[in-house]
């Protein structure tokens, strides 16, 4: 009897989930272009590209381990391309 109740509940849940799915394609998130700002060593922006969303984030706002991870990834990319680094 318990097995029948669980099966009926499962079938009902699946039917409800299918019936309430959006028909207008709302299951996918529309992709947007990334934003990028290039700055000089003095911190002055000299080029921007893309659409900016949200608040501007400064390097000081990032956790130290995130900044170190970004630098490590870039170092690995430079070394894998056989470019001489000082």
């Amino acid at each position: 009897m318990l097995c029948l109740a669980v099966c009926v509940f499962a079938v009902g849940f699946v039917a409800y989930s299918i019936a309430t799915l959006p028909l207008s394609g709302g299951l996918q998130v529309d992709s947007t272009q990334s934003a990028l700002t290039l700055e000089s060593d003095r911190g002055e922006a000299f080029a921007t590209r893309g659409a900016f969303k949200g608040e501007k984030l400064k390097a000081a706002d990032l956790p130290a381990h995130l900044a170190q991870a970004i630098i490590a990834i870039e170092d690995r990319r430079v070394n894998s391309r056989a470019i001489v680094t000082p």
Side-chain angles (χ1 to χ4, degrees):
M1 187 67 175
L2 179 64
C3 182
L4 179 62
V6 170
C7 289
V8 168
F9 175 77
V11 169
F13 179 75
V14 170
Y16 172 78
S17 297
I18 292 172
T20 57
L21 284 174
L23 299 176
S24 62
L27 296 176
Q28 296 178 346
V29 177
D30 295 332
S31 63
T32 58
Q33 184 179 8
S34 298
L36 176 68
T37 301
L38 300 176
E39 295 181 352
S40 68
D41 56 352
R42 286 177 260 147
E44 300 168 351
F46 63 86
T48 58
R49 179 184 173 134
F52 290 92
K53 299 177 274 185
E55 300 286 326
K56 287 189 175 182
L57 185 64
K58 298 189 184 282
D61 297 335
L62 295 175
H65 67 275
L66 178 59
Q68 292 168 356
I70 292 170
I71 291 170
I73 291 169
E74 291 301 319
D75 282 348
R76 222 176 298 144
R77 287 181 182 167
V78 168
N79 291 336
S80 69
R81 294 183 197 144
I83 297 174
V84 177
T85 56

